[in-house]
Amino acid sequence: MGGGRAAKVRSVCVLSMSDPNNVSTAMPQDPSLLRDISSNQEEQRIMTVSWSVLVPLCSFGFLKEFRPSESFVTQYLIGPEKNFTKAQVNQDIYPVGTYSNLSLLVLVFLLTDWARYKPVIILEGLAGVVTYSLIIWGKDVPTIQVAEFFYGLFMATEVAYLTYIYAKCDKKDFQKVSGSVRSGILLGRFASGVTSQLTISLHFLTYHQLNYLTLAGVSLSVIVAAFLPSASRSIYFHRESSLQPEYNGACEDSGMSPPNNDQSLNCFMDLPLEGQESQAVQESSILSPKKPCRRILSDALQAMIDDFLSAYGNAHILKWSLWWASATCGYLQVTSYIQMLWQVTATQDQQLYNGVVDAAYTLIGAIATWFVGQHKMNLTRYSCPILTVCCLLQGTVLLISAGMVHLWVQYVLYIIFKILYHSTMVLASSEVAVSLKADSHALIFGFNMFIALCLQSIFTLAVAAKGGLELEIRSQFFVYGSYFVVLSVGFMLSIAIPAACNFFNCGTFAHKENKQPGIA
């Protein structure tokens, strides 16, 4: 996701606004005093990141992912509370969420950058409230379809939550903050799975009553989102002004090198955190006059185009992005319809353990992705073999699941499928992010997701929705498994064709060399 600037302890050169002679008097000359000031400011910055950003951000992630009803949503919809048919759920209800997510994603991305994150994060929580309120009190298919539309909005607005950390945290804090945010999300999913399974297995709650827990979670997330600090800048519409203070000889007199883009602390004074935003506004108004709306839109669009062309002009990024979009398409399709497969496989009186599966894959997946993330690998040469093997394994797992008649085997295979996807996604995210410009993560990651949703919508329309093939659920999973096998063949050919071309080119060249007469 897109990189941004955080609300941090900024360095403001006294030289740019006042008498240059003031620099030497403003700068403490005692090295020990400088160290004490730096230490206090670092402690203050860390405390600010921890309490004013991390706590509400992680709490929001936990609460929005605490949705116990989702582990049994298919059973709820086809059960006595709603009494929809499997065909209605499969063909009329679920596809609406896919189409809604696709149609809203681009608009939400632009709105997120223009509104500077926080309002869209609140909108995400409100969309969740509307979704589960309609699910609880809706009685007919059109009402549940409206709920699915808001669920698509709920999923699309997640981009604001995932990119907010880029705007509020310093780049050197990003790994720590992103790890904390991911922990909040995974903890919410784990708690959701455990809660749903325990309450259902022990007969504390019904499928219908689980929705009230979900509604309480997303409602609390709206309240928590209101306490998030506002972002003063965004990636494209509210870009941070690049202040280039003039070099002054006083820096040399104080034993410092002149300020530059990479060493912003030289000859700079750190402001107190409370005064950072007002100081930034003053500098922006003095050094950068307010642009007209048309100019802002033009500059933002041009920046997006430049970042887009720069990213996808890189063959390495393009390769991993192709896997990202195509694999995510299959992943979303599988996760959308897996409960329908379990419902068909389970015998009439068999107890379902969907919550256990959700909790298990969250825990095991977190360990697996952490392990993959901790080991640095040079994937430039081995990216295609890795993607080939991963897609082949995922396809094999789905093909076996499609023909399997034992529910617990399907549970295990589903956990393996998700672990393979998330582990490879860690590699894909890191490989793409490393090669991107600093502020283009959100644009490229978002476009990859947009392509994935386009492919998923085509998949849904062709395989599951009315007007397409309308396949029964086992046949659908044969198609999904075959899709991943075809992806693996495609990546295999991307290895074999260049290798064959190089071999024959080298062979032809050597043959011509042998035919040339020797030189005396």
Side-chain angles (χ1 to χ4, degrees):
M1 287 291 184
R5 300 296 183 192
K8 59 179 182 177
V9 178
R10 292 188 191 83
S11 302
V12 180
C13 187
V14 181
L15 303 175
S16 62
M17 294 295 181
S18 60
D19 184 357
N21 296 327
N22 289 337
V23 175
S24 58
T25 59
M27 253 331 195
Q29 300 299 320
D30 186 358
S32 62
L33 182 57
L34 280 171
R35 285 193 298 269
D36 291 340
I37 293 175
S38 176
S39 176
N40 291 336
Q41 290 165 343
E42 178 68 11
E43 182 180 355
Q44 187 180 17
R45 182 183 63 78
I46 292 173
M47 288 177 60
T48 302
V49 170
S50 299
W51 294 105
S52 68
V53 178
L54 277 184
V55 171
L57 196 63
C58 294
S59 299
F60 178 84
F62 174 87
L63 291 170
K64 83 181 186 67
E65 292 297 330
F66 183 74
R67 305 194 294 271
S69 61
E70 288 208 348
S71 296
F72 298 96
V73 63
T74 299
Q75 288 68 35
Y76 172 63
L77 292 176
I78 66 177
E81 290 89 353
K82 297 300 179 184
N83 204 28
F84 299 128
T85 66
K86 293 179 182 179
Q88 286 176 318
V89 174
N90 193 28
Q91 300 170 8
D92 297 330
I93 294 176
Y94 283 167
V96 175
T98 300
Y99 303 147
S100 171
N101 194 354
L102 171 64
S103 62
L104 293 171
L105 186 64
V106 174
L107 178 62
V108 166
F109 172 77
L110 297 175
L111 179 62
T112 296
D113 198 87
W114 178 76
R116 288 176 282 195
Y117 308 101
K118 181 177 176 178
V120 183
I121 294 176
I122 296 175
L123 177 62
E124 179 181 2
L126 292 174
V129 172
V130 174
T131 297
Y132 292 101
S133 297
L134 290 172
I135 288 176
I136 291 172
W137 290 289
K139 298 297 183 181
D140 52 17
V141 171
T143 303
I144 304 302
Q145 286 177 326
V146 174
E148 280 291 309
F149 172 82
F150 279 98
Y151 184 75
L153 176 62
F154 179 70
M155 300 304 294
T157 47
E158 190 176 28
V159 66
Y161 172 71
L162 296 176
T163 55
Y164 173 84
I165 54 177
Y166 290 89
K168 291 302 296 180
C169 301
D170 189 77
K171 283 185 178 180
K172 59 185 174 183
D173 294 324
F174 176 67
Q175 184 174 356
K176 177 185 72 174
V177 175
S178 60
S180 301
V181 169
R182 180 170 178 79
S183 298
I185 291 175
L186 293 175
L187 184 60
R189 292 176 183 173
F190 180 78
S192 175
V194 171
T195 301
S196 63
Q197 191 61 59
L198 287 177
T199 53
I200 292 299
S201 297
L202 299 177
H203 305 289
F204 289 158
L205 298 174
T206 64
Y207 294 148
H208 179 72
Q209 291 168 337
L210 284 178
N211 287 284
Y212 290 101
L213 291 181
T214 300
L215 181 60
V218 293
S219 298
L220 288 174
S221 73
V222 177
I223 299 174
V224 171
F227 290 94
L228 286 170
S230 298
S232 61
R233 66 192 60 82
S234 63
I235 302 170
Y236 295 108
F237 289 102
H238 304 279
R239 300 173 75 89
E240 185 176 30
S241 299
S242 57
L243 303 179
Q244 298 295 337
E246 295 180 0
Y247 167 69
N248 189 284
C251 293
E252 292 182 354
D253 295 337
S254 60
M256 300 179 181
S257 59
N260 56 57
N261 292 335
D262 298 322
Q263 293 178 302
S264 59
L265 290 180
N266 291 338
C267 196
F268 276 56
M269 284 296 292
D270 289 322
L271 291 177
L273 291 181
E274 295 81 358
Q276 292 170 16
E277 298 300 329
S278 60
Q279 179 67 28
V281 171
Q282 292 174 12
E283 292 166 3
S284 179
S285 62
I286 294 173
L287 298 182
S288 180
K290 188 175 181 180
K291 295 180 181 179
C293 182
R294 182 179 298 179
R295 176 66 183 276
I296 293 174
L297 292 174
S298 175
D299 289 348
L301 180 60
Q302 186 59 50
M304 291 180 193
I305 293 174
D306 292 343
D307 288 347
F308 183 89
L309 296 177
S310 174
Y312 291 109
N314 185 320
H316 190 62
I317 293 178
L318 184 61
K319 183 192 314 178
W320 280 97
S321 294
L322 284 173
W323 176 86
W324 183 324
S326 54
T328 300
C329 160
Y331 170 82
L332 294 174
Q333 197 71 1
V334 169
T335 54
S336 296
Y337 291 93
I338 188 65
Q339 288 187 29
M340 189 67 69
L341 179 64
W342 294 339
Q343 183 68 29
V344 170
T345 303
T347 58
Q348 186 173 3
D349 298 326
Q350 186 172 6
Q351 173 72 48
L352 296 176
Y353 290 93
N354 300 1
V356 171
V357 176
D358 290 338
Y361 87 69
T362 299
L363 183 61
I364 299 173
I367 296 173
T369 54
W370 176 85
F371 179 81
V372 171
Q374 293 299 310
H375 290 76
K376 302 293 183 182
M377 293 175 280
N378 183 7
L379 300 177
T380 304
R381 291 183 57 189
Y382 303 107
S383 56
C384 280
I386 290 174
L387 298 179
T388 299
V389 172
C390 179
C391 289
L392 183 60
L393 290 175
Q394 287 178 297
T396 303
V397 164
L398 292 178
L399 289 174
I400 295 174
S401 296
M404 182 57 59
V405 295
H406 299 290
L407 182 61
W408 276 101
V409 177
Q410 286 183 339
Y411 280 156
V412 173
L413 291 173
Y414 179 66
I415 292 173
I416 294 173
F417 172 82
K418 297 203 75 169
I419 290 173
L420 284 170
Y421 171 80
H422 285 294
S423 299
T424 313
M425 181 56 75
V426 170
L427 298 178
S429 301
S430 61
E431 286 299 303
V432 172
V434 165
S435 304
L436 287 177
K437 292 169 59 177
D439 289 338
S440 61
H441 297 79
L443 176 68
I444 303 308
F445 289 9
F447 185 77
N448 289 345
M449 179 57 70
F450 176 75
I451 297 299
L453 291 173
C454 287
L455 294 174
Q456 188 196 6
S457 297
I458 296 172
F459 231 139
T460 301
L461 186 61
V463 174
K466 281 187 176 179
L469 297 176
E470 300 181 23
L471 299 178
E472 57 91 19
I473 193 63
R474 288 190 182 276
S475 298
Q476 285 186 41
F477 272 78
F478 273 114
V479 173
Y480 303 152
S482 301
Y483 169 77
F484 277 96
V485 172
V486 170
L487 287 181
S488 70
V489 172
F491 285 111
M492 189 183 302
L493 290 176
S494 71
I495 303 172
I497 292 176
C501 290
N502 289 336
F503 174 80
F504 286 112
N505 286 340
C506 291
T508 302
F509 179 76
H511 181 68
K512 289 181 179 179
E513 285 289 316
N514 291 333
K515 282 191 172 183
Q516 289 181 359
I519 299 177

